[in-house]
């Protein structure tokens, strides 16, 4: 799966700064436009990886705290098939 995002960048003195409107937390900066965009891509990757890991932890946590009665009901449903 390929993800595509927009990069908004501008020059600020000797630096280029960039952000991604789809992921407001993602920012990059660099002395060149190329380095700025590389840093932005790294930031996007880190944020998406962190979100993915958070979702996995949430799923695992919900499975750990699945009440016994709910687990029994799920087993009964699965055994019917």
């Amino acid at each position: 799966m390929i993800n595509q995002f927009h990069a908004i960048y501008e020059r600020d003195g000797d630096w280029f700064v960039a952000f991604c409107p789809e992921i407001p937390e993602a920012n990059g900066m660099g002395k060149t436009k190329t380095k700025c965009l590389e840093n932005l891509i790294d930031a996007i990757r880190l944020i998406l990886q962190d979100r993915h890991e958070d979702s996995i932890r949430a799923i695992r946590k919900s499975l750990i705290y699945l009440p016994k009665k709910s687990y029994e009901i799920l087993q009964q449903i699965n055994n019917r098939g």
Side-chain angles (χ1 to χ4, degrees):
M1 177 180 193
I2 296 175
N3 294 310
Q4 293 184 348
F5 301 99
H6 294 92
I8 310 295
Y9 68 93
E10 62 183 37
R11 190 171 191 118
D12 185 10
D14 292 338
W15 293 87
F16 285 91
V17 292
F19 72 96
C20 175
E22 294 87 358
I23 305 175
E25 307 94 329
N27 297 288
M29 65 184 299
K31 287 283 191 176
T32 65
K33 181 181 170 185
T34 300
K35 189 61 178 171
C36 176
L37 294 176
E38 286 174 3
N39 290 335
L40 178 60
I41 290 168
D42 288 343
I44 291 169
R45 283 187 182 135
L46 287 170
I47 290 166
L48 293 179
Q49 179 181 355
D50 184 61
R51 288 180 182 176
H52 175 75
E53 290 169 0
D54 283 349
S55 66
I56 297 298
R57 278 192 294 274
I59 290 169
R60 286 184 181 148
K61 188 175 182 180
S62 69
L63 292 175
I64 291 169
Y65 294 111
L66 187 64
K68 184 176 181 182
K69 185 67 176 171
S70 298
Y71 177 76
E72 291 169 358
I73 292 169
L74 287 173
Q75 278 190 322
Q76 290 172 2
I77 291 169
N78 287 333
N79 290 335
R80 288 183 195 165

